[in-house]
Amino acid sequence: GARPWIWKNRLISMEHAFLVSCIVVYTHIVEWDIFTASTDINMNHHSVLMHFALSFSIGYFIHDFLDNVLFEYRGTIEHVSVLAHHIVVVGMFGLFNWMDYYQSYVILTLITEINSIFLHVRKILQLTGVKITHRIYIMNNVANVFTFFFCRVIGQLYMMYSCIIASYVAPLGLLISGISAMVSLAVVNIALANSLFASDVRQWRKLQRVRDSVSGDDSNKGALTGNQTSSSKESQNGRAHAD
């Protein structure tokens, strides 16, 4: 079975993703006029709920960073990119949260947590031994692909557009922080997409090998049974001639 810390890590990640996703959706519904307002109003807007979402996320990313370094560090490009992303995000969130600035833009980056819900569900299904062909796994994969495209790909393109629009009025330091976060997020998304694709391909190939092996065993058993039947008939015929 999975080690206890893996379950703890996944459940904490799931809680963070679900809670922050609810806050992001609620914020966009209640304060939609702020997100569609002019750049200077948007950049200076902040709220208690945004403060909480960013502060909670800072704590989560610090925890996840330490958890991965202490228990799961592998030194792969994918893993290093995730850790680098955590460092950049903690720095950016901390800076904007402390300055009460750019929060309405930063909260947009947390829309990726909607997709993270299905990523964590996928991992939990794997830990519990649910097969890739199971209906629940397939339904989660469909939701995963859908939210990955809209929340990560489209969401990041919109954030890049927002950074370009805000470049005329935003301080240089804040602009660099935002661009750095976008670059790190792009790297993580590429690594994540590659990891998900490679993982599913490996599982499908493994499943196919098992099916081929079972099919081969059945064929061999059938051939062996046929040979035994044929030998038995020949033996009976031989005894009949002898009689």
Side-chain angles (χ1 to χ4, degrees):
R3 287 169 290 177
W5 76 265
I6 295 181
W7 281 104
K8 182 198 70 173
N9 180 275
R10 295 303 171 185
L11 291 175
I12 290 176
S13 297
M14 173 72 81
E15 291 172 6
H16 168 261
F18 182 77
L19 180 57
V20 169
S21 295
C22 290
I23 293 175
V24 169
V25 172
Y26 175 81
T27 302
H28 277 71
I29 293 175
V30 173
E31 303 185 24
W32 180 251
D33 55 326
I34 295 298
F35 292 98
T36 56
S38 59
T39 302
D40 56 336
I41 295 176
N42 199 321
M43 289 176 59
N44 288 282
H45 178 72
H46 57 89
S47 67
V48 174
L49 201 56
M50 289 182 179
H51 266 299
F52 173 77
L54 294 180
S55 299
F56 184 53
S57 295
I58 289 171
Y60 163 72
F61 283 118
I62 291 174
H63 167 270
D64 196 60
F65 178 89
L66 295 175
D67 215 28
N68 277 271
V69 169
L70 295 175
F71 300 106
E72 201 182 17
Y73 183 72
R74 297 187 300 270
T76 61
I77 295 178
E78 176 191 350
H79 205 234
V80 171
S81 67
V82 170
L83 296 179
H85 162 265
H86 283 15
I87 293 174
V88 173
V89 167
V90 167
M92 182 187 71
F93 283 13
L95 177 64
F96 294 157
N97 211 25
W98 174 62
M99 296 182 65
D100 286 337
Y101 198 68
Y102 221 54
Q103 287 188 13
S104 56
Y105 279 112
V106 175
I107 205 74
L108 284 172
T109 64
L110 290 174
I111 200 172
T112 58
E113 292 304 315
I114 296 176
N115 172 247
S116 295
I117 294 174
F118 300 101
L119 291 175
H120 297 315
V121 169
R122 178 179 182 275
K123 186 62 180 180
I124 290 173
L125 290 175
Q126 291 176 345
L127 291 174
T128 53
V130 176
K131 294 183 179 179
I132 193 172
T133 54
H134 197 283
R135 182 178 299 178
I136 295 177
Y137 195 100
I138 294 174
M139 290 174 61
N140 185 75
N141 260 9
V142 172
N144 195 4
V145 172
F146 181 82
T147 55
F148 188 97
F149 178 75
F150 282 99
C151 297
R152 291 186 181 272
V153 178
I154 300 299
Q156 185 175 357
L157 289 175
Y158 180 76
M159 277 301 301
M160 292 176 67
Y161 167 77
S162 299
C163 283
I164 294 173
I165 296 299
S167 63
Y168 299 101
V169 292
L172 181 60
L174 297 181
L175 188 62
I176 292 175
S177 298
I179 294 174
S180 299
M182 288 299 99
V183 171
S184 69
L185 188 59
V187 173
V188 168
N189 285 340
I190 293 172
L192 182 58
N194 178 69
S195 175
L196 292 174
F197 178 75
S199 175
D200 281 350
V201 168
R202 284 195 302 269
Q203 289 188 64
W204 276 111
R205 287 178 177 175
K206 181 180 179 180
L207 182 62
Q208 190 60 46
R209 284 196 298 269
V210 171
R211 287 177 174 175
D212 291 342
S213 176
V214 171
S215 177
D217 290 343
D218 290 342
S219 299
N220 292 333
K221 288 179 181 178
L224 180 60
T225 302
N227 291 335
Q228 289 175 345
T229 302
S230 178
S231 298
S232 177
K233 288 181 178 180
E234 289 177 359
S235 177
Q236 290 175 358
N237 291 334
R239 286 199 297 270
H241 286 303
D243 293 341

